[in-house]
Amino acid sequence: MYNNTVLKDKGMRILAEQLGLVEAERFIVLMRREPFDYTRWRQGLFNNTPLDIFLADAQNYREVIDANTQM
């Protein structure tokens, strides 16, 4: 488990890497602007994703993470 400072730093880095800095900042503004229940959002996040697609995406993500940690 990360402390709050490390978690915020790591989260912002991931958002910036995936979305770019401008879109990451925009995402944060959108999340702060609306009432947001993370638990409810997460529970419905993959409801419409077929299991085979979900598993393939997870495997691809794992391969990217493994490749990046070997650098």
Side-chain angles (χ1 to χ4, degrees), residues 41-70:
W41 170 78
R42 185 186 50 77
Q43 288 172 341
L45 183 60
F46 299 109
N47 284 350
N48 296 324
T49 304
L51 183 58
D52 59 331
I53 300 296
F54 179 83
L55 294 174
D57 288 348
Q59 181 62 36
N60 289 336
Y61 178 76
R62 172 69 183 235
E63 290 169 4
V64 168
I65 295 300
D66 288 347
N68 288 337
T69 57
Q70 294 176 3

Side-chain angles (χ1 to χ4, degrees), residues 6-45:
V6 172
L7 182 60
K8 288 188 284 188
D9 182 60
K10 191 173 184 76
M12 189 61 201
R13 287 176 191 267
I14 291 168
L15 284 172
E17 288 172 7
Q18 295 297 311
L19 300 174
L21 191 55
V22 172
E23 294 298 320
E25 291 285 349
R26 185 170 160 236
F27 174 79
I28 291 169
V29 168
L30 288 170
M31 291 291 101
R32 293 190 63 171
R33 194 178 293 164
E34 300 176 17
F36 183 68
D37 183 341
Y38 172 79
T39 302
R40 182 174 286 159
W41 170 78
R42 185 186 50 77
Q43 288 172 341
L45 183 60

